[in-house]
Amino acid sequence: MSLLFSERPGRHERHLLRKHDNPLFPEAARELTQAQLREAQRRDHEELVAYIGDLRGLVGEAVALGPHEQSDVILGLKERLDQAYETACRLADDQTPNKEAIKKLVEVIMRSVWKGSGNDTLAHQELEQEEIARQAHYELLESPLVADLLDPESPIAQDELLPALLSADQAEFEAAVTLFDPIQLEALLTQAESHPIPDACGEIFEQGVARMEQIKTRVKSLQVE
């Protein structure tokens, strides 16, 4: 019987798909039954339903903000909206409308913060830097692998990190390695040397070797900076 995958899987199903028939993972982890798939889809659906309720609450709080609200209240809400954006990137289905709504709310809040900073040049510089960092972070989260790695309850176990990276497509790999510092990347290289990819893996072997070279190059570039 063929497996019934979701068109836009959430984090639980997505990780099952990473491991399914992937020779870089242990043999037992590669097997996938319809029952396992249904359970992952059920968990993803429950998380989606809970998220919609939480997001409605956040939107309600944002709408209810008064013109003279305390700055700590405003910034606290902005931080929770940023977290809600991260969560949306891990969920099933198309979250584009929710992410766009969050962006608009954050923009409204930041306009209020800018107004409150008056003519403070230093505050303006910090706000500009924060805006650049937030946009870069949002763009990085468009990679499902990055979103799953940044998940506080990531479905990717520590011993699954290397095979998940090596078997990712080029764009996701390049995005994901930016999350690691040189020490972490060197640890991955050491792990790869102690668990070499079998030549029999064919195309995935060649991809894994290429990914390792890319990691080595990134380590050298970071050490030079």
Side-chain angles (χ1 to χ4, degrees), residues 18-61:
R18 283 192 193 100
K19 297 185 288 184
H20 181 45
D21 286 340
N22 186 337
L24 298 188
F25 286 89
E27 186 173 353
R30 302 174 213 162
E31 300 176 358
L32 179 58
T33 67
Q34 189 63 53
Q36 290 173 314
L37 187 57
R38 279 197 301 268
E39 174 61 15
Q41 292 169 343
R42 182 193 64 78
R43 296 174 69 184
D44 286 334
H45 178 71
E46 286 185 352
E47 289 183 354
L48 176 58
V49 171
Y51 174 79
I52 296 301
D54 292 341
L55 183 58
R56 285 173 179 165
L58 273 177
V59 171
E61 289 183 47

Side-chain angles (χ1 to χ4, degrees), residues 66-85:
H68 305 294
E69 196 68 69
Q70 294 292 322
S71 61
D72 58 335
V73 174
I74 295 174
L75 294 177
L77 180 57
K78 199 273 295 183
E79 182 177 349
R80 288 159 59 202
L81 285 167
D82 283 338
Q83 292 171 350
Y85 191 94

